[in-house]
Amino acid sequence: MKVASFNINGIKARLPALLDWLKEAEPDVAILQEIKSVDEGFPRDPIEELGYQVETHGQKSFNGVALLSKLPLEDVRRGLPGDDGDEQARWIEATVVGENKALRICGLYLPNGNPAPGPKYDYKLAWMARQKARAKELLDQEEPFLMAGDYNVIPQDEDAKRPEAWTTDALALPQSRDAFRDLVNLGFTEAFRACNTAPGHYTFWDYQAGAWNRDDGIRIDHFLLSPEAADMMQDCGIDKGVRGREKPSDHVPIWVEFAL
């Protein structure tokens, strides 16, 4: 089973690019972030024509996450527990059943947090605390699951072409990195780093200042695997070339293959 994550940066603007990638990469499950669409406005038909079941948790003009699956999705849940007043669409869960085992998929779009310090950064850290609490609940079940998406966290300096440019940014502040590290230390495997420890691998390049042409990127899209899911991982990679295509997202897909 191939599971991919892709911050699409506006589903309506990037639909042709998404469809091309789905046909080429053929993920069994795709986790999307920043769909920027209400549920009823999501362009389901062309995606369903490719054989995907579509589940969305949308929001007008901002945020929004979705799951696309060639296999049935069961027990779909929308919204990260822990704050009934949180109206931002940033979390979706479902279980996908493979030939032999089931895998719980948690798709997320973690808050950016800028400017920091400030209320947006407070929200980011509080959201990460809620994610940690949900992760503990799922770990207690001792079943395979993953949490994947745009984490808006640069874990270490080697995850940025120019780490000095990010020292005061919410994506790389010590509190952000500490919260991410605390999450991983619950017992997760950070899939890409488990397969590749070298620097120079990125998932985001800004549209401004020729960042793509200079490979001035950062790695902020991550897969965290529970111990049971990590045991089934076969490979993890980044589809970097997607960024150089026509009307691209500023992110590229990252994927993990499982023996499931």
Side-chain angles (χ1 to χ4, degrees), residues 140-214:
D140 287 345
Q141 298 177 20
E142 297 184 352
E143 295 179 354
F145 79 96
L146 60 83
M147 299 185 298
D150 178 358
Y151 275 76
N152 270 315
V153 174
I154 305 169
Q156 302 177 84
D157 282 355
E158 53 262 43
D159 296 312
K161 179 68 173 289
R162 294 182 302 117
E164 67 278 4
W166 298 90
T167 54
T168 62
D169 193 283
L171 277 63
L173 286 176
Q175 300 97 312
S176 303
R177 289 179 166 180
D178 287 347
F180 183 79
R181 190 176 302 112
D182 287 347
L183 185 62
V184 174
N185 288 344
L186 292 176
F188 290 98
T189 294
E190 208 259 89
F192 186 78
R193 281 299 178 220
C195 296
N196 193 319
T197 58
H201 295 277
Y202 313 123
T203 62
F204 171 91
W205 296 259
D206 196 281
Y207 290 127
Q208 306 299 319
W212 167 245
N213 292 331
R214 293 183 289 107

Side-chain angles (χ1 to χ4, degrees), residues 39-131:
D39 295 336
E40 55 270 26
F42 190 89
R44 310 172 64 93
D45 290 349
I47 297 171
E48 290 176 341
E49 288 173 3
L50 295 180
Y52 289 95
Q53 177 183 339
V54 177
E55 299 289 346
T56 62
H57 180 35
Q59 181 179 342
K60 185 177 181 180
S61 303
F62 297 99
N63 305 325
V65 286
L67 297 176
L68 320 177
S69 179
K70 291 184 176 180
L71 298 167
L73 294 173
E74 302 175 356
D75 188 21
V76 180
R77 301 185 185 184
R78 295 167 174 85
L80 181 63
D83 183 356
D84 293 339
D86 186 2
E87 298 180 352
Q88 298 192 29
R90 294 181 175 275
W91 182 273
I92 189 169
E93 290 184 29
T95 297
V96 60
V97 181
E99 292 184 5
N100 300 302
K101 294 183 179 180
L103 178 66
R104 187 72 176 168
I105 305 284
C106 302
L108 64 99
Y109 176 45
L110 203 146
N112 177 286
N114 283 303
K120 290 186 176 181
Y121 193 59
D122 294 341
Y123 174 68
K124 179 190 186 94
L125 295 179
W127 201 97
M128 295 182 80
R130 289 162 54 202
Q131 181 187 0

